[in-house]
Amino acid sequence: MTDVRLTAWVRGHVQGVGFRWWTRARALELGLAGWARNMPDRRVEVVAEGSQASCVRLLELLRSGDAPGRVDGVVERWSEAKEGLAGFVER
């Protein structure tokens, strides 16, 4: 099975509420590598690599309403994994 890369931009009240920490914890539970970082426009960018099933599940969790803060929307982009990522970090 080929790994994929999910890039998701999450908008809403997602900075300063533990959202990146929560995302990191979910990604590690799913065995994903990548990062979550605050962007200047108040969104959070999430980049995750791993199995497609795990990336789809992370995307579902981001949209679930269970994350800290308030998620108003998530835009995603799918691509081939670039490899070389280890662990999942907050940037």
Side-chain angles (χ1 to χ4, degrees), residues 53-68:
S54 292
C55 287
V56 166
R57 181 63 184 138
L58 180 62
L59 187 59
E60 291 170 349
L61 290 167
L62 293 174
R63 290 180 166 146
S64 71
D66 293 332

Side-chain angles (χ1 to χ4, degrees), residues 49-88:
E49 288 190 0
S51 73
Q52 183 168 2
S54 292
C55 287
V56 166
R57 181 63 184 138
L58 180 62
L59 187 59
E60 291 170 349
L61 290 167
L62 293 174
R63 290 180 166 146
S64 71
D66 293 332
R70 184 190 74 250
V71 174
D72 293 334
V74 180
V75 175
E76 87 239 30
R77 180 178 68 205
W78 295 91
S79 57
E80 293 180 15
K82 296 187 179 13
E83 306 295 329
L85 295 177
F88 199 97

Side-chain angles (χ1 to χ4, degrees), residues 4-7 27 32-35 46-50 55 58 85 88:
V4 297
R5 175 178 277 214
L6 165 67
T7 304
L32 298 171
W35 69 84
V46 177
V47 173
E49 288 190 0
C55 287
L58 180 62
L85 295 177
F88 199 97

